[in-house]
Amino acid sequence: MALTPVSNGNVEHMAEHFAHLVRGSGPGILLAHGAGGSVAGNYGPILDDLATTHTVVGPDYPGSGDTPRSRVPLVLDDVADSLVRTAVDAGVDRFAVLGYSLGTAVAVRIAARHPERVTGLVLTAGFAFPDNRIRLAVRVWRDLLAAGDRVLLARFLTLVGTGATRLNGLAPADVETAVAALADFVPAGTPEHVDLVAGADIRADLPRIHVPTLVVATAEDGLVAPEHSRQLAAGIPGAELVEVPAGHDVAAEARDEWLAAIRSLLTRVG
């Protein structure tokens, strides 16, 4: 999931190759973004920094960025395989995978299905399966999308996704500005993304992961509680857990701390 501001778009079949960006040079990084998000929306504040030392491949899921929307429900295996195919076609055969929110499930599935290509994992604000709290949040998200009330959707996501420290530190006018910005940008494929969240379950994959793994918990996250990150770390052999003082929108709330954590894993995997 992601606090990224649904636009209308032409509905297409799920693309075999996702629209993507490639930046930088060096060892590979593959990005997996959140539901209702995009590579630019979820990783934008750290993209340039990552590209100073690595080749970064960032595919957008169907209905995000320039990737056409899918007519069929998204399947986790298919999304994972498409991200890998995008990276390989871009000339990046091996890579660390950075997964954010829903992207953590995608990242773990990539490591389980393509272990020969994955050098390490960074899993941020993620979950192994949706508990009742996540399912309720996804249901509200989906219903507000169906009702076409973007402003109310943006208020809901701001409430549950923004850390209390940041939210209460904003002036009321700034809160309204943030809500308006979020309401203006909701990718066309968001309904399929949130449906994928509701059905994602990677618990059986966790014991099969045998690459260096860093799990980043967002300590003030009301959308995906930090307990989910603890479960991920406990389930993956040898995984390290760190917490950053942020809500779900970690790139905006704790950019420097998040980037430092990511770099700590990238340094270990070369």
Side-chain angles (χ1 to χ4, degrees), residues 149-222:
D149 195 334
R150 297 189 184 191
V151 173
L152 187 56
L153 173 61
R155 293 191 190 284
F156 168 70
L157 292 176
T158 300
L159 172 65
V160 299
T162 308
T165 301
R166 179 177 178 85
L167 187 58
N168 290 326
L170 295 174
D174 292 333
V175 174
E176 293 306 309
T177 298
V179 167
L182 189 59
D184 281 343
F185 173 60
V186 182
T190 299
E192 292 79 50
H193 299 179
V194 296
D195 286 347
L196 186 57
V197 171
D201 189 338
I202 56 168
R203 284 175 286 185
D205 294 327
L206 301 182
R208 301 166 55 197
I209 305 305
H210 298 289
V211 293
T213 299
L214 176 67
V215 180
V216 181
T218 38
E220 297 187 15
D221 198 333

Side-chain angles (χ1 to χ4, degrees), residues 121-134:
L121 296 176
V122 180
L123 310 175
T124 302
F127 59 96
F129 71 100
D131 63 4
N132 287 337
R133 183 181 180 88
I134 290 179

Side-chain angles (χ1 to χ4, degrees), residues 8-20 60-72 74 187-190 192-193:
N8 294 324
N10 293 326
V11 177
E12 304 287 348
H13 290 290
M14 179 172 168
E16 290 187 5
H17 296 274
F18 295 174
H20 60 281
D60 285 314
Y61 304 157
S64 285
D66 292 328
T67 305
R69 188 176 176 184
S70 176
R71 284 185 176 178
V72 298
L74 299 182
T190 299
E192 292 79 50
H193 299 179

Side-chain angles (χ1 to χ4, degrees), residues 13-95:
H13 290 290
M14 179 172 168
E16 290 187 5
H17 296 274
F18 295 174
H20 60 281
L21 59 81
V22 181
R23 291 191 189 175
S25 61
I29 295 175
L30 177 59
L31 304 179
H33 68 74
S38 66
V39 168
N42 296 156
Y43 292 101
I46 63 172
L47 277 176
D48 289 342
D49 292 271
L50 295 175
T52 62
T53 54
H54 289 73
T55 301
V56 182
V57 181
D60 285 314
Y61 304 157
S64 285
D66 292 328
T67 305
R69 188 176 176 184
S70 176
R71 284 185 176 178
V72 298
L74 299 182
V75 177
L76 189 60
D77 286 356
D78 294 343
V79 173
D81 291 351
S82 292
L83 260 68
V84 170
R85 185 162 53 245
T86 300
V88 172
D89 287 351
V92 180
D93 294 327
R94 301 189 74 234
F95 37 75

